[in-house]
Structures are given as structure tokens and as C-alpha cells.
Amino acid sequence: MSEKQTPPPLTPARRSSGPPEHPKGVVDEKRLLHDIKRLSANTKGRWVVRGHLSRMKPDNLADHTLHAVEHTFNGLVTREGVRFYWLRNNDFVVSFSITSADSVRAALVKVRFLFAHDPLMDQPAAHGVESDSLATWYRLDNDHGLLLKDIQQLVQSHRAPSMGTPRRHLRQNSDPGSIRRGAPLTAAMLSRVESALMGADLSSHIRRQAVCAMVGRAAPDPVFTEVFVSINDLRETMLPHVDLASNPWLFQHLTQTLDRRVLAMLTRRDDKTLNQGFSINLNVSTILSDDFLRFDDSLSPGSHGTVVLEVRSEDIFADLNAFFFARDFVRQRGYRLCVDGLNWRTLPFVDPTRLGVDLMKLSWSDDLPNVLRSAEGDAASAVLARTGQGKIILARCDDEKAVQFGQGQGIRLFQGRYIDRITKPYLLL
């Protein structure tokens, strides 16, 4: 863990045009000051992190989002004895021992996800550096005196609190090449399949797979759950001797039908496992359809930010104007956007800032480490180096080697069968 030599002072944010003071700030600041004084006799192995939410646009600090930030740390408070405090300017402070450092890093990845739309998230830290635009790290055995002085000044300078109101569901099980080959898909076959799908119960073909924040040895921390249709299972049920992906144009048409069916299922909200946030893989044309509008209307106010819409890179570049229109449409409603289906060859062509997306999903393969170390993979390596933490998901992680490699590249979000296996024991706790 790198050490921040001269952390910035804990000065209060200007309040003239910002959001209301946090309702817990008065009590929490006093509690924080008391606890920091008490720790003066035992600073070894103790750290403090301050999250600079006051640096964000006030419109992004809605009450439900601030509640989600606190909820992110609640598990660590219960399980690991981490202490969480609000400041009146909506910053937060976390106090913890060195053994919980990786868990706190993972929680900060989730905070970055919550505020992915804010310009502050476009200022990534250099790989290996702890303090950045979002969070400042303090090592108490070196910085205790400075931290105590800054908190005292902060508490004294704050005015009294105001009395105002406080404020692709579609995905193959593995690479396309792994699907058993069969007879080519024809238009007549597609017509029969689509007719069957419109009245079929897809619940047995729906799969769920969590995207988790993983930092060091900390337990996997689910950020959201991807909902998708198992193409292999669907094929075995409906057309066991047909290669559904043999004709990309007909297959694309099939995915649009599946889009509508899965959106209808999500609109009914039968699945209780999706209350904490989920992602679905949609075609651009589906996002601009009436089916999506009905789905959008079914979401409760304030919950759009917990839904990630995944769009395949080839669908984006097939019609950029249509994508940009769809992007602006969903971002106005608060959805997150993820570019899906990237590999080391296509990664250099995707600039998340220019495309206006929040996340990119890179597929793991056994040869990825060697490729990125070669001249051929220089462009992809450069993208990984300059992309902010929490913006890249390493998908299809089937073994520990994938996670170890991803963490070495600064990646914090992972998805795959290996993640599923190691997450289940924690979900039972």
C-alpha cells in the first residue's frame, strides 16, 4: 500500500449552491473526532480513507445514492469492525485496520460504479497509487497528528445544520466456436423458432451471473447481476441439430426476439434476485423500441442507476448514429452503459469517453497475458493502463489465474464461473 505523504486538508466544501448538508453529519463528525483522538494511543496498522463526494456535481448526490454509499460499507462495519462516518458536506470517512484494506478498496470500486456518470470519475489514479480524486488515504502511524488537526478545523468551521429537508440478457455459455455445430439456420427455421418463443416460458433458459468487485484477498463483493439466455440450452430444446449462429444476420434477428421476451419478463419483476441491480444485453434497436419503454415505465423512481445496459461492440459500430441516439436516450434516464464482447484486438478501438459509456467488458483467454506482453498487444495494454479503475470488467474468468492477472493490470471487476464458485460460500454467511 503506497503512502500519501501530504494528504490534502479536510476543508469544508462551499455550501452556497451545493446540496443540503448530510443529516447525519453533525453527529458523525463529533463521533469521528472522538474516535480519532482515542486512536492516538494505537495507530499501528490503522488507516483512514476520506471519500470526496463533495467534489461531485450536486445533482448527482441524491438521497438514495448517498444511502447506497452507506449500504456499500454496512457489511464491512458488521463483519470486520470498519467504522463509517458522514461529514456535513456529504464526504464520508472510513476507519479500518490494515487487514480490511482490500475490502475497503473493493467497496470504493462500488462507489465509483454508483457515480460513474460524474466527471470526477474521469480522473483515474495511476496504477498502484492509493489517493486520487475520489479518495484520500491516511496512514495513522504517520499522519495521525495532521488528520486530527484537519478534522478539528473542519468541525469548528462548519456552520450549524439547517432545519430544511434532508435530503446481453443474451449470451452464449462460452466462445461462439464452442457451440456444437449443426445444420445452418435458415429463414424458415427462424420463423418457427420465433413463433415458438413468443409463447414459450423462458424461465428455464434464464441464467444469472454476478459481476463482483475483487481487490486482493477480500471476499468477492457483487456489484450487479447479469441476466442472459443460455443459447446452448435454447438450441438443445428447440433445434438440437441446427447451428443457431451459422448465419449472423438471422441470428441477430433472433436476438431481437429474445430481447422482447426477456424485457417482458423483467417488466413483470418476478425475479427477487434482481432487486440489488442487474444488467441485460440488448440490441440498439431494442433500446429504441416500445418494449423498452414499457420496461422503463416499470422501474421505480431512482432505480434506473442500478440497471446496466450491455451493447455488443459490433452492434455499436454497425450504426453509430443510432447508438448515439440510444445512448443519450438511456443516459437521460440514469441507466449505465457497458460495451460487451471485447477482446484484446477490439479493445483499442473503444474509447469509453468518446462513446459515452461507463463500462467495458473484456473477455479473458489463456493467451491474453502473453499477447499483452508482446508488441502485437501494445495498444490493448495502453488502454488498460489509462482506463480508470472500476471501468473494465474481466469476463469469462474460469480459473484463479484470470483474476490474478486482472488484478495485476489494475482491474477490479470480474465475472465468470470461477467467481461464481468462490462467491457462493460468502452468500451463505
Side-chain angles (χ1 to χ4, degrees):
M1 182 181 296
S2 69
E3 178 181 332
K4 183 69 175 178
Q5 298 294 336
T6 55
L10 288 168
T11 53
R14 294 184 179 180
R15 308 299 305 170
S16 57
S17 60
E21 292 183 350
H22 197 284
K24 293 184 179 180
V26 177
V27 175
D28 278 13
E29 284 179 4
K30 293 179 180 179
R31 184 166 59 92
L32 172 62
L33 182 57
H34 175 270
D35 289 349
I36 293 298
K37 289 178 179 179
R38 184 174 53 82
L39 284 172
S40 62
N42 185 25
T43 59
K44 186 176 181 180
R46 298 292 306 182
W47 288 75
V48 167
V49 167
R50 178 191 180 187
H52 301 285
L53 301 189
S54 61
R55 295 176 178 175
M56 296 183 179
K57 290 184 175 180
D59 291 345
N60 291 335
L61 301 180
D63 288 343
H64 69 270
T65 309
L66 296 179
H67 178 74
V69 171
E70 184 171 352
H71 179 75
T72 296
F73 289 93
N74 281 346
L76 301 184
V77 172
T78 303
R79 296 192 308 269
E80 303 185 26
V82 168
R83 294 180 179 271
F84 181 89
Y85 315 83
W86 282 111
L87 304 181
R88 270 178 274 186
N89 63 357
N90 290 310
D91 281 2
F92 63 87
V93 173
V94 184
S95 174
F96 55 96
S97 67
I98 188 65
T99 57
S100 298
D102 284 342
S103 298
V104 171
R105 291 191 188 97
L108 289 173
V109 171
K110 296 182 72 172
V111 173
R112 285 184 173 278
F113 173 75
L114 288 170
F115 296 99
H117 290 162
D118 195 276
L120 190 70
M121 297 298 99
D122 294 331
Q123 305 173 32
H127 181 46
V129 176
E130 294 288 5
S131 297
D132 59 11
S133 56
L134 172 66
T136 299
W137 289 66
Y138 297 85
R139 179 175 171 175
L140 290 193
D141 55 1
N142 285 348
D143 302 322
H144 180 271
L146 176 62
L147 180 62
L148 177 60
K149 178 181 177 182
D150 288 339
I151 293 174
Q152 288 174 328
Q153 292 176 346
L154 178 72
V155 173
Q156 292 170 1
S157 62
H158 267 153
R159 61 178 173 82
S162 64
M163 298 304 292
T165 303
R167 314 182 309 166
R168 169 141 335 263
H169 68 266
L170 173 69
R171 188 157 60 83
Q172 298 164 359
N173 288 346
S174 55
D175 292 331
S178 69
I179 299 179
R180 273 195 345 222
R181 298 302 175 189
L185 179 67
T186 65
M189 291 177 183
L190 177 63
S191 178
R192 292 200 302 269
V193 170
E194 289 186 320
S195 296
L197 284 175
M198 295 312 294
D201 180 7
L202 289 182
S203 58
S204 61
H205 302 299
I206 296 291
R207 302 290 180 265
R208 300 158 189 81
Q209 191 172 66
V211 172
C212 294
M214 294 185 65
V215 181
R217 297 179 179 274
D221 196 353
V223 178
F224 59 87
T225 300
E226 182 183 359
V227 183
F228 60 95
V229 173
S230 170
I231 292 298
N232 279 344
D233 292 348
L234 187 67
R235 173 185 182 272
E236 290 296 327
T237 300
M238 295 191 163
L239 292 170
H241 305 297
V242 175
D243 179 7
L244 293 180
S246 59
N247 187 316
W249 303 111
L250 294 179
F251 185 73
Q252 179 79 0
H253 200 278
L254 174 62
T255 66
Q256 294 171 4
T257 302
L258 288 168
D259 282 352
R260 295 194 296 272
R261 296 291 292 118
V262 173
L263 281 177
M265 181 200 75
L266 293 173
T267 300
R268 293 195 303 268
R269 229 8 149 264
D270 297 333
D271 194 335
K272 303 292 187 187
T273 66
L274 303 180
N275 292 337
Q276 298 301 316
F278 61 92
S279 73
I280 46 176
N281 199 305
L282 297 177
N283 290 280
V284 172
S285 59
T286 303
I287 296 175
L288 299 174
S289 69
D290 290 339
D291 298 276
F292 185 82
L293 287 178
R294 285 189 287 272
F295 164 75
D296 179 73
D297 288 340
S298 74
L299 296 178
S300 59
S303 65
H304 297 75
T306 67
V307 180
V308 179
L309 305 178
E310 302 189 24
V311 184
R312 300 281 297 183
S313 56
E314 56 267 32
D315 193 22
I316 291 174
F317 290 106
D319 189 341
L320 276 173
N321 288 332
F323 168 72
F324 287 142
F325 186 83
R327 176 203 64 189
D328 294 342
F329 174 74
V330 297
R331 285 179 70 93
Q332 287 177 356
R333 287 159 171 75
Y335 294 98
R336 311 297 170 86
L337 277 170
C338 174
V339 182
D340 186 25
L342 296 173
N343 55 42
W344 67 268
R345 294 182 184 276
T346 56
L347 184 64
F349 297 99
V350 177
D351 184 329
T353 301
R354 294 181 66 182
L355 284 180
V357 299
D358 307 291
L359 298 163
M360 300 190 296
K361 186 175 286 189
L362 173 67
S363 295
W364 161 261
S365 60
D366 289 334
D367 64 343
L368 185 61
N370 290 333
V371 169
L372 293 182
R373 285 193 291 264
S374 68
E376 194 176 16
D378 282 348
S381 296
V383 173
L384 290 176
R386 69 171 179 262
T387 303
Q389 294 181 7
K391 286 184 177 289
I392 290 185
I393 302 167
L394 188 61
R396 296 180 180 169
C397 297
D398 291 339
D399 53 38
E400 187 178 8
K401 180 173 67 173
V403 175
Q404 291 175 342
F405 171 78
Q407 290 181 332
Q409 297 293 315
I411 295 174
R412 297 290 182 261
L413 296 172
F414 298 88
Q415 181 182 20
R417 294 171 181 164
Y418 173 72
I419 314 301
D420 296 340
R421 291 196 301 271
I422 63 176
T423 302
K424 285 181 180 178
Y426 293 105
L427 296 179
L428 298 176
L429 294 179

